[in-house]
Amino acid sequence: MVNVCITVGIEENVSSLKTLSLKAYHRLSHDMLSYYRLCATSTATGILRNYRKAKKKNPRTKLPYAKKLMLTTCYGFKIQNDLLRLPVKPREHIYVRLNIHTLQTLSGLNVRSVTLTPNSLGITYSKETIEIEPDGYVGVDRNLDNVTTAATDGAVKAFDLSKATRIKSTYRFVKSRFKRNDSRIGTRIHRKYGEKQRNHVAPLLHNVSKRIVDDAKTKRYGIIMERLTGIRSLYQKGNGQSRNHRARMNSWSYGKLQRQVEYKARWEGVKVIYVPARDTSKRCSICGYKTLESTQRRLWCPHCGAILDRDENAARNIAAGGLRFSPNGPPGEAVKGNPTTTVILRVDGGKLSQQTNATTIHPTKT
């Protein structure tokens, strides 16, 4: 049914849920329950929207086609005792037994939808959360091999992700050994090892994201992250970089870690703020001046003479950068000609030397 809706959406050039429902609903099998048809239309709508976005970037994007068997419904199901009841036809149901952990997790929560595949059962639920007013902030600096956090109370933590990088490198090597000239088998092999790689890397990212959110929740802190955009375009063929370097950087899971931190933080009521990523690593977190590269990911500030760890310095700048977006931050930006604005140390440090000249006005006699 999803593929029928996709075909109708491409033929009629529509991607909105209401229009696609009007165009495709009568073409779906009438033997299926109505809410299954509605969920299939909703799923196809999301696929069509992603297809239109991808086609704008690449006109040669292939037409979408759903291959995996999946049943998603928001209606008709019911949990009775330790069984999940799913309707098949009017007054005809199938039952799936739930384990003790699932029942304990769902106790007292509002179950919203059920997704059934040949190998798994997914149940989504919701709960009411209240956003905690933060007493401070923790900046999160994401790198290829580690994640560094720095809180406004001075605490710094580093989470090692070099194991995830090694796992990705190993699977790239394994897939590169495949020499058979058969694209279909090659696609199957790459999909197989790609899934294995994701299954090995995902627990590592979940562990780091959970520890970051738990620490912020315990201290009643908000989380501040960089708004990273355009990273993939920096490592494309023709940019003068080696193939191995491009592969390593393009396998960086910065977006996946960001999504995990964000949804876990929202679930726990922890506030999340994004700041621009420009110069967070290059600016001194003590005085605000531009630093110079030293050795072994260390920075040297020519103004205050401080020697800083690159990742720790970036995390501190990110944490300080979020203060200007918080309710407890200063009332305005530090700009020229505005003598009443409070300058944020470690954020507007480079403007301190300019403030005297910018705000000093010498009256002239007439």
Side-chain angles (χ1 to χ4, degrees), residues 1-10 20 24 28 37 40-41 44 48:
M1 291 193 295
V2 172
N3 288 325
V4 171
C5 294
I6 291 174
T7 302
V8 173
I10 293 175
L20 186 61
L28 300 177
R37 285 182 274 174
T41 307
L48 288 171

Side-chain angles (χ1 to χ4, degrees), residues 75-140:
Y75 315 98
F77 64 90
K78 189 175 182 180
I79 297 178
Q80 294 178 335
N81 298 325
D82 59 343
L83 299 176
L84 171 66
R85 190 186 73 176
L86 290 172
V88 179
K89 293 180 179 179
R91 295 179 297 279
E92 183 178 343
H93 305 86
I94 60 172
Y95 295 88
V96 180
R97 186 174 298 277
L98 304 178
N99 57 32
I100 298 177
H101 172 73
T102 302
L103 295 172
Q104 290 177 348
T105 303
L106 298 177
S107 177
L109 298 174
N110 183 21
V111 179
R112 303 299 299 272
S113 67
V114 173
T115 300
L116 183 66
T117 69
N119 302 317
S120 65
L121 171 66
I123 302 176
T124 63
Y125 54 90
S126 64
K127 71 173 184 178
E128 295 292 334
T129 59
I130 300 176
E131 188 175 87
I132 303 172
E133 189 63 33
D135 297 331
Y137 291 93
V138 55
V140 180

